[in-house]
Amino acid sequence: MTLRVVGQQSGAELLDELKSALQRYIILPSDEAGDAITLWIAATHAVPAWEIATRLFISSPQKRCGKSRLLDIIEATAHDALVTVNISPAALVRSIGEDPPTLMLDEADTVFGPKAAGDHEDLRGLINAGFQRNRPYIRWDATIRKPEVCPTFAMVALAGIGNMPDTIMDRAVVVRMRRRAPGETVKPYRTRRDGPPLNNLRDRLHVWVRSRLKDLENAEPDMPVEDRAADAWESLIAVADTAGGEWSKRARAAAKAFVERDQQADASASVSLRLLTDLRAVFGDERYLYTTTILDRLHKIDESPWADYYGRPFGPRDLSKLLTAYEVESKNVRESGGPPKKGYSADDLWDSWSRYISRQGERYKGYKSDDAGQAGSGENPVADASATGQSSATALTWEVADVAHVAHIPPKPRPKPPEQWPNSCVECKGMLDPAAVKAGHTKHRGCE
């Protein structure tokens, strides 16, 4: 493919230079992640050409994984970066115009994480609305007594620990960062020293992209992915096709790798829920089971994936890996009075069962447990509730509450014919007054 050149540099060369800059300061999780970030930065310079403003979410399981440093590089190279750790909906919509800035929200987990759930629904709604063009924010302006129509369309980068709400994740290219391993080194980033060269790269990239806005606007790239993923990746692949060189191939490989990874994550989540459900059946009314016992019972469940898990039986490491997501770990337990071995406690699993598996008829019964009791005689332990951090009134049990039997109500008998009625008149067969019967009468007065 022929390279398109601006001055002495082609688009492919500019993208190569940008990716090298990223790798200079950051250990990226994969080569595909470097391609995706590079193309996303380039796409921010062509917002007027897009119908979809792809989000970039930079995630990590822990702090010190390079999220903020990556945002520093993006800030220096993206189009008109607007960085914030918090922003009000009113300030957000007034920061967006016909040629909007690139919005960058650091510490996004403090805004959208579990502890802040529900506190920033307006902001989340605006970020979601801004994914697609022509989804304005409309408010009443009391000073002019007219509605004010504010655009929301803009490229957005977010960084935070863990995940964002599904509605944001679904609209984003998600880069999962990780800590540097021993022996991995990067160049320290200093704004005064390193910022100007990156700004220069940004300006050259901007000139190249803006000179091709019409081509990018009319681009209809052949997409390797479908549905919402295709929406999110279309602008990135359009940039890659316009740049030429190996970037077309690399962009499509990155898109497929990212989508396959996300699909595997979704499948893993589904498998972990199946595991929780099957573990509930495996434990039954037992409180402690060895890992070997659990695996043996899982393998015997009909139509389950455990006997043939990716071509082999489901093993102890597989069990531990899936349960780690629910903060459940193995420990020494006694099963039916046997010797202590590695296994699991139903007490530890109960919280996940109650949150993710609906079971009618179960209730808390003030049941207490501790590890010391089960390490002893093997009988039903009566424990200090401090072992689980619960009082005896609120400790958990998996027992099923007794259900009172409903009294049997016999069907109403069919009425007898008049000739079988007791105390009836021998003439008209009508009922006689009990007092008349007592007096020896067998007929009504009118029938005598």
Side-chain angles (χ1 to χ4, degrees), residues 4 8 23 28 37 88 104 114 127 173 218 221 249 280 296 305 325 332 359 369 372 393 399 407 413 436 438 440:
R4 299 182 179 184
Q8 297 301 314
Q23 294 172 323
L28 296 168
I37 298 167
S88 70
M104 301 176 60
I127 290 177
V173 171
N218 296 327
K249 181 179 178 180
R280 183 63 187 80
D296 181 64
N332 287 331
R359 292 184 59 85
S369 69
E399 295 180 15
K438 192 173 181 181

Side-chain angles (χ1 to χ4, degrees), residues 25-327:
Y25 301 103
I26 304 158
I27 298 297
L28 296 168
S30 66
D31 195 51
E32 291 83 3
D35 292 339
I37 298 167
T38 299
L39 292 169
W40 186 88
I41 293 172
T44 66
H45 293 273
V47 174
W50 310 134
E51 290 295 323
I52 298 295
T54 304
R55 278 76 182 97
L56 176 68
F57 176 47
I58 306 162
S59 172
S60 72
Q62 297 291 335
K63 58 186 179 181
R64 302 204 314 272
C65 291
K67 299 184 304 298
S68 297
R69 178 63 70 240
L70 178 53
L71 282 185
D72 289 337
I73 310 304
I74 295 174
E75 179 188 3
T77 54
H79 169 62
D80 193 15
L82 175 61
V83 184
T84 179
V85 294
N86 199 347
I87 188 169
S88 70
L92 173 63
V93 296
R94 285 169 178 77
S95 301
I96 298 173
E98 290 300 318
D99 190 5
T102 302
L103 303 175
M104 301 176 60
L105 182 61
D106 200 2
E107 309 293 343
D109 51 299
T110 65
V111 179
F112 298 117
K115 293 183 179 179
D119 293 344
H120 301 91
E121 287 302 294
D122 287 346
L123 184 59
R124 181 173 67 90
L126 287 174
I127 290 177
N128 290 341
F131 177 71
Q132 189 171 349
R133 193 177 288 280
N134 299 323
R135 296 294 185 270
Y137 170 78
I138 302 176
R139 64 179 293 277
W140 181 258
D141 190 332
T143 58
I144 60 175
R145 301 183 65 81
K146 288 183 179 180
E148 181 184 8
V149 179
C150 305
T152 61
F153 187 74
M155 301 285 276
V156 181
L158 308 98
I161 294 174
N163 289 332
M164 293 292 100
D166 289 342
T167 53
I168 291 179
M169 299 277 286
D170 195 39
R171 293 166 167 84
V173 171
V174 181
V175 176
R176 302 189 182 278
M177 301 293 287
R178 57 191 182 185
R179 283 186 183 173
R180 286 190 287 122
E184 292 181 331
T185 60
V186 293
K187 180 179 178 181
Y189 179 80
R190 299 293 180 266
T191 303
R192 290 184 179 180
R193 180 192 65 201
D194 303 305
L198 291 176
N199 294 159
N200 178 268
L201 172 59
R202 173 199 63 199
D203 295 340
R204 286 182 281 125
L205 184 62
H206 184 82
V207 170
W208 179 83
V209 170
R210 288 300 170 108
S211 68
R212 286 160 174 75
L213 275 186
K214 201 63 179 178
D215 292 341
L216 293 170
E217 183 178 352
N218 296 327
E220 295 183 5
D222 180 29
M223 298 301 298
V225 293
E226 298 177 340
D227 301 326
R228 183 58 66 80
D231 292 340
W233 279 90
E234 185 176 36
S235 59
L236 279 63
I237 291 179
V239 169
D241 286 348
T242 304
E246 291 293 316
W247 279 96
S248 293
K249 181 179 178 180
R250 288 160 60 178
R252 286 170 174 81
K256 291 177 66 175
F258 270 65
V259 172
E260 288 172 3
R261 179 206 62 187
D262 293 341
Q263 289 175 343
Q264 289 174 1
D266 292 342
S268 177
S270 299
V271 168
S272 69
L273 287 177
R274 171 66 187 267
L275 176 63
L276 282 180
T277 302
D278 287 349
L279 284 176
R280 183 63 187 80
V282 162
F283 270 86
D285 292 332
E286 298 181 77
R287 294 173 56 190
Y288 309 106
L289 289 178
Y290 297 145
T291 299
T292 52
T293 302
I294 292 172
L295 294 174
D296 181 64
R297 294 182 182 181
L298 286 174
H299 295 161
K300 293 177 181 178
I301 297 177
D302 292 336
E303 299 181 358
S304 74
W306 314 122
D308 185 13
Y309 188 73
Y310 295 103
R312 55 177 175 74
F314 189 70
R317 290 186 179 180
D318 303 315
L319 179 65
S320 175
K321 183 177 179 179
L322 289 181
L323 290 181
T324 296
Y326 300 98
E327 299 182 357

